[in-house]
Amino acid sequence: MRPHLGAPLERVGWGTALDAVARRLGALRESAAVFTGTPATPELDHQHAKFAALVLGLAPRRPSAVSRAFGLDRGLPGPLSDLTAAGTVFVAGGEPGAVVRGGLESAHGALIVADPRRTPLARAADLHLQLTPDTDVALANGLLQLVVEDGLADEEYIAERTSGFDRVREQARGYWTARVERITGVPEASLREAVRLLAGGTRTVMLSTHENDDQVTAFVNLALALGLPGVAGSGFGRVAGERPPAWSPRMLGADGGPRGLLLFAADPVGAASGAAALETRLSELELLVVADSVLSETALRADIVLPVADEAAELRVLAELARRLGAPGAWSGTPAEVFAELAGDEARPFLDRFATGDGRALFAPVQHRGPDEHIDSEYPLHLTSDPGLPRAAVELHPVLAGRLNVGSGGRVRVVSRHGSRVGEARFSDVLREDTVCLPDDVHGRAARVEPA
């Protein structure tokens, strides 16, 4: 920690560091924020949210699509064992974190994956809906229309346990199968097979890893139409994805933004495309605490750095800070004990009623907006982002590289309506052939690639 502002970091004991964090966080309380940058386990998700709410008195930054629909935000809809017993599991949005993937690996039912990338999970799926990037809402609405059209909606469940379906049903009529195939690139036969699997099992679990609320809402609507949430062994959950979210300075705001930040396993300075602006905003904080396994670019700028090597160490840090700040309840630093607390409190919520005012889950219409830019003859490729890529890398499909006559490690230029950049080609057959991936926040743009 720094003995005073502007001083270099000095080694101190754990007790000294944790006492200092607690003292300074205690002075800030509701003016602090907590952020975790890597995909978290259910135990860490639970403990981070509990710490923010009970220790710092914070609510989530804004209501999520899940909390608006069900009245309560959560990850998995039930115990991890529900994935093993399900007749069908649908995963939309990308690879989930390691804990959920482990549950999926032991699942016995049919697996559907909706992801533009041909990830290992998508390769293992019984059905991979490899949609065009940013067409998730159109896909979900199209599947919903097929559910209604084929008489597969759970009308009794909808009438007794939900509200708002009429508006969503009316909107879904605009997503007839031929149109959805044209928008998403997913063949009609695959759309119909997905609906058959979703509606045919005795237990169906739907999971979304989307960060975008419209996309989550669209899949919540599909799950509600099928009568899944609040039914033992079935349900809908939004879980952490495999890749960390991209950072930008606006995440911290300016006027009225947090005065202190407790940052777990994230390096916004090293990862963000707007690093200079972000550094300025971080320097304005009264307190920056970084808990990470490496002394990252962001950690080098922190007031206090807590070296945490694994999940258990991170849980112990949260428990020690909660104890020092006089938080109510029990705070364990052991993953098994935290999981038992999580399972005991929230193993299967909503079996009797949802956590909304009237106990009903809420449908909400949501329209497909598409990518920010459309591809054309000048810019025929979709751009997408992965902040985990090296800064100088350009990821593209081997078939696309072959058309460009570019070898692995060769220099390529990516040109968009916003400028160009040169990088080193990295091949990945996970991507679609019409998609190029950069580490910068360029998702939703169109581009072309040429040898540099």
Side-chain angles (χ1 to χ4, degrees), residues 127-163:
L127 179 62
H128 178 203
L129 308 177
Q130 193 173 20
L131 66 163
T132 301
D134 298 306
T135 61
D136 305 72
V137 172
L139 175 69
N141 285 352
L143 294 174
L144 175 59
Q145 171 56 21
L146 278 175
V147 167
V148 173
E149 184 182 296
D150 293 348
L152 299 173
D154 191 333
E155 298 290 351
E156 182 179 351
Y157 172 97
I158 291 168
E160 292 181 357
R161 303 206 58 188
T162 74
S163 61

Side-chain angles (χ1 to χ4, degrees), residues 65-130:
V66 175
S67 64
R68 284 194 297 269
F70 304 149
L72 176 70
D73 209 345
R74 62 170 291 108
L76 287 169
L80 201 60
S81 57
D82 279 359
L83 298 181
T84 304
T88 301
V89 179
F90 186 115
V91 181
E95 287 265 277
V99 172
V100 175
R101 281 206 316 277
L104 292 171
E105 287 169 4
S106 59
H108 303 301
L111 174 63
I112 308 169
V113 172
D115 191 341
R117 298 165 62 89
R118 195 164 178 261
T119 61
L121 185 66
R123 295 174 196 271
D126 299 278
L127 179 62
H128 178 203
L129 308 177
Q130 193 173 20

Side-chain angles (χ1 to χ4, degrees), residues 366-380:
V366 57
Q367 291 282 11
H368 163 70
R369 295 192 179 97
D372 296 336
E373 301 173 359
H374 294 285
I375 61 174
D376 55 26
S377 57
E378 186 176 3
Y379 301 103

Side-chain angles (χ1 to χ4, degrees), residues 13 48 92 171 179 183 235 257-258 272 276 309 315 370 419-420:
H48 282 135
Q171 179 194 51
R179 182 192 177 211
I183 293 172
L315 289 172
S420 66

